[in-house]
Amino acid sequence: MKNHKQKNSDGQIQNSTEKLINHPIIKNLAVLFSQAGFELYLVGGSVRDSLLGRLHDDFDFATSATPEETLSVIRGFADNIWQVGIAFGTIGFSKAGSTLEVTTFREEKYIKDSRRPNVTFTPKIETDLSRRDFTINAMAIKLPEGIFIDPFGGLSDLAAGRLATPIDAAESFDDDPLRMLRALRFIGTLNVEPDKAVIDAIVASGDRLKIVSKERIRDELMKLLLSDQPGPAILAMVSTGLASYFLPEIEEMGALSDPSHMHKDLLKHTIQVLMNVPPDPTLRLAALLHDIGKPRTKTVEADGVHFFHHEVVGSRMAKRRLKELKFPTKTIEEVVELIEFHMRFHTYRLGWTDKAVRKYVREVGPERLPQLGTLVRADCTTQNPYLCEKYGRLLDELEARVAVLEAEEESAGIRPTIDGDEVMTFLNIKPGPTVGKILNMLLEARLEGKVTTKKEAFALTREWAKENLGFV
Ligand code: ATP
Ligand code: MG
């Protein structure tokens, strides 16, 4: 007979999972499988998250049916079916905007040096649950009855905020090293703390990451960065040494000490900036990498510690790293520019003329300015609230001036007096960055009232070409 406590916790489970098992799509699917004589269980993230009071739009199921049998059950029910995972037992489909995946109970045998296991099907849900990465992901709900199945104590781990593996952690991570990154991600998304065996296994098995594709590493890194708590996850990534296998620059930051105590702990500062920016991929990546140039540019001089041009060095380092991790070109460009320009604003307090403000807008690009403003505001992590407030006010002022200048230019419809084609014909040059530079120079001259006619524009172009290109 169950004791009172057990009854209570059963009641709580029922409440938490009720919404899930009463979801119309899940209910209908459960009826179809049971009519066909197959077992069906909800598994994975949707079970875990329902216990945390979060409802998903994508659902994972485990079944006793073979993939072919699953196909015959869902035909007529599913809106769209995809079979890319069929060799591994998975049939995916969509229904009324939700994504569902049904996988035949699996058993996995890993071969050294490959993340791809030999998959065999098994008649028992318990065997299937034992191959899963963490105890909190190894719970199941039997449908349609709603019986809760938890052979590895996932529920109590979830309640205790504990991340543990169903089998020996070292063996599990050796089998599939991606699980180490998933562990870090769950620190960020679920606010759980890995138990000692998990940490020890990450420390011991870090170099196994070499068998994981860059794309998978990238995707996990992004999930981690976009999570609610990326800070503790990044700290764990550095303290376990895992960062050194795919983001050594972050590891280097952890090691930087600063005798001036101006940047007491670069990694801590970075993490604070990361948590200060909203969960947007470009901003989170830029926040993570904005100071990676510091360890390599650090100099100690009579007047203190300097990191001259760390933003330029850092933007180059970021470009290399993001390329290596196969990020899309557009993301790389955006992140690199944010890093390169993140120090630019700091000379503003010395006083910028309208010309200097226009140059800033032109170089950064008007479309990138709001993101740069967010990053620069987030970068102020001093304990002194007065200082951040002052920076904030200055930045507000700069942004207001940008808006006024843009409105003036817009209403005046100001363009360079001659266009790109005219410049190219005049100098007999091909399209390229030089043409852009000349047009910018001509626009600047026009805004300052130095040039009003085409004749004057050509004369200025000739002068510029003589000086910068060495010909007339
Ligand atoms: P979310 O969908 O919120 O990202 P999730 O836990 O559902 O989190 P999925 O990648 O959708 O993650 O995987 C579904 C389930 O499959 C997991 O909960 C886990 O049980 C199992 N799983 C996924 N990846 C692995 C892996 N690399 N090793 C072992 N089990 C895994
Ligand atoms: Mg999932």
Side-chain angles (χ1 to χ4, degrees):
M1 212 174 92
K2 285 173 180 167
N3 64 27
H4 180 67
K5 204 168 157 204
Q6 180 71 43
K7 250 198 326 219
N8 246 351
S9 92
D10 275 0
Q12 275 160 12
I13 295 168
Q14 221 171 1
N15 280 344
S16 310
T17 55
E18 207 154 353
K19 258 199 200 140
L20 195 57
I21 56 182
N22 285 327
H23 190 294
I25 296 175
I26 295 176
K27 249 183 147 166
N28 292 337
L29 189 70
V31 170
L32 290 178
F33 272 81
S34 93
Q35 279 172 353
F38 300 116
E39 289 177 42
L40 185 72
Y41 297 80
L42 263 166
V43 288
S46 46
V47 174
R48 177 195 70 216
D49 291 349
S50 76
L51 292 163
L52 294 169
R54 309 179 190 171
L55 205 59
H56 271 231
D57 251 350
D58 61 321
F59 307 104
D60 297 310
F61 301 86
T63 182
S64 58
T66 63
E68 289 72 24
E69 288 166 340
T70 295
L71 272 176
S72 70
V73 173
I74 61 165
R75 249 187 222 117
F77 175 75
D79 294 338
N80 268 310
I81 301 180
W82 50 94
Q83 303 186 32
V84 284
I86 194 163
F88 299 101
T90 302
I91 303 291
F93 63 99
S94 62
K95 174 75 183 176
S98 290
T99 307
L100 299 91
E101 279 191 354
V102 180
T103 304
T104 307
F105 300 152
R106 279 168 50 158
E107 199 172 357
E108 296 169 353
K109 294 253 173 348
Y110 284 84
I111 323 131
K112 201 88 180 157
D113 297 326
S114 167
R115 272 201 63 231
R116 301 229 159 161
N118 278 331
V119 172
T120 47
F121 298 140
T122 160
K124 285 182 69 178
I125 180 74
E126 284 79 10
T127 315
D128 178 277
L129 293 176
S130 72
R131 60 137 178 123
R132 292 177 183 267
D133 52 359
F134 299 103
T135 59
I136 56 173
N137 290 340
M139 302 179 275
I141 298 173
K142 189 172 196 304
L143 298 172
E145 308 90 316
I147 299 169
F148 184 61
I149 299 178
D150 181 19
F152 302 100
L155 181 64
S156 65
D157 281 351
L158 195 61
R162 173 169 175 256
L163 193 67
T165 46
I167 60 165
D168 176 65
E171 192 186 318
S172 172
F173 297 166
D174 196 53
D175 280 349
D176 180 2
L178 185 74
R179 292 171 184 163
M180 297 187 280
L181 284 172
R182 285 175 59 90
L184 297 179
R185 189 235 295 187
F186 291 129
I187 299 178
T189 53
L190 301 172
N191 206 5
V192 289
E193 208 173 301
D195 73 1
K196 187 170 175 312
V198 167
I199 294 289
D200 290 349
I202 296 179
V203 172
S205 317
D207 76 321
R208 294 282 294 151
L209 264 195
K210 63 177 183 282
I211 67 161
V212 180
S213 76
K214 301 277 191 283
E215 289 83 354
R216 295 304 296 263
I217 294 179
R218 173 199 66 201
D219 291 349
E220 278 302 325
L221 174 66
M222 275 331 288
K223 285 182 185 170
L224 182 163
L225 284 180
L226 296 177
S227 69
D228 290 344
Q229 293 293 327
I234 295 287
L235 272 182
M237 189 195 284
V238 172
S239 65
T240 55
L242 200 62
S244 66
Y245 298 101
F246 64 101
L247 260 185
E249 296 83 2
I250 302 295
E251 185 108 336
E252 268 178 49
M253 286 204 290
L256 185 77
S257 66
D258 175 3
S260 78
H261 298 300
M262 255 176 62
H263 300 263
K264 259 184 218 137
D265 186 333
L266 188 54
L267 187 62
K268 244 196 211 156
H269 161 74
T270 297
I271 284 172
Q272 213 174 326
V273 179
L274 188 62
M275 313 258 265
N276 281 351
V277 298
D280 161 84
T282 302
L283 272 172
R284 286 268 163 108
L285 276 171
L288 178 72
L289 303 176
H290 78 285
D291 275 348
I292 53 172
K294 276 192 171 173
R296 297 191 191 177
T297 53
K298 182 181 156 189
T299 55
V300 185
E301 291 170 31
D303 61 341
V305 179
H306 296 284
F307 304 97
F308 291 120
H309 305 304
H310 74 268
E311 69 280 17
V312 179
V313 172
S315 66
R316 283 193 205 124
M317 288 165 68
K319 189 172 189 171
R320 269 199 306 276
R321 181 55 54 202
L322 295 175
K323 258 191 182 164
E324 169 88 20
L325 288 172
K326 314 249 188 241
F327 275 92
T329 314
K330 187 164 172 285
T331 309
I332 300 179
E333 265 172 24
E334 290 172 358
V335 173
V336 164
E337 281 176 11
L338 287 176
I339 297 173
E340 189 182 335
F341 294 122
H342 85 272
M343 297 300 290
R344 195 59 69 89
F345 159 76
H346 289 281
T347 61
Y348 182 70
R349 63 175 178 277
L350 305 176
W352 280 5
T353 58
D354 281 355
K355 183 177 169 180
V357 173
R358 279 197 204 97
K359 187 161 172 251
Y360 175 73
V361 174
R362 241 189 356 259
E363 287 189 1
V364 175
E367 70 291 343
R368 192 85 64 247
L369 275 181
Q371 277 186 324
L372 186 63
T374 306
L375 180 64
V376 171
R377 281 186 175 85
D379 196 13
C380 192
T381 63
T382 145
Q383 293 300 314
N384 179 350
Y386 170 75
L387 209 60
C388 288
E389 223 181 275
K390 196 176 103 184
Y391 274 146
R393 268 201 311 275
L394 271 174
L395 204 53
D396 290 346
E397 182 195 298
L398 172 60
E399 285 170 353
R401 280 180 68 188
V402 168
V404 169
L405 289 174
E406 275 176 347
E408 277 173 16
E409 283 171 28
E410 186 81 13
S411 64
I414 295 177
R415 302 268 173 277
T417 341
I418 53 177
D419 64 20
D421 284 339
E422 286 169 306
V423 168
M424 287 188 283
T425 316
F426 183 63
L427 293 177
N428 193 21
I429 56 171
K430 295 204 166 66
T434 305
V435 181
K437 274 190 201 157
I438 294 173
L439 289 176
N440 272 334
M441 179 276 297
L442 288 172
L443 177 64
E444 194 62 49
R446 171 119 207 237
L447 290 167
E448 286 169 22
K450 285 188 200 154
V451 169
T452 43
T453 66
K454 281 195 175 225
K455 200 174 158 202
E456 285 165 344
F458 281 124
L460 194 62
T461 303
R462 173 174 300 153
E463 226 174 87
W464 188 94
K466 211 172 176 178
E467 239 172 64
N468 294 279
L469 306 175
F471 66 90
V472 190

